[in-house]
Amino acid sequence: MIKELADVPPSYLILTAADREFLTAGGDFWVEDEASLQQFFTEARWVVEWELTSEGG
């Protein structure tokens, strides 16, 4: 799960878990901006499938 934080410019919190419901332990990472977020995905070799939530993000 990616949370956009209300910083200016926005930073991002990356939450991970072993299951989709976040019931099994995972971790978290913080990146300072969108460019850093894209770099994080590239370095981790993650393919991201974006889904909108009721929270609007």
Side-chain angles (χ1 to χ4, degrees):
M1 176 184 310
I2 310 299
K3 293 259 186 188
E4 183 179 279
L5 304 177
D7 302 330
V8 178
S11 61
Y12 298 88
L13 184 60
I14 305 160
L15 305 169
T16 63
D19 63 319
R20 192 172 180 91
E21 292 76 28
F22 284 80
L23 299 175
T24 305
D28 58 58
F29 304 89
W30 174 86
V31 295
E32 63 184 329
D33 56 25
E34 188 173 347
S36 298
L37 180 64
Q38 294 300 326
Q39 184 65 33
F40 180 93
F41 295 153
T42 300
E43 290 177 11
R45 297 183 182 183
W46 286 2
V47 176
V48 178
E49 184 177 319
W50 295 100
E51 297 177 2
L52 295 179
T53 66
S54 60
E55 297 174 7

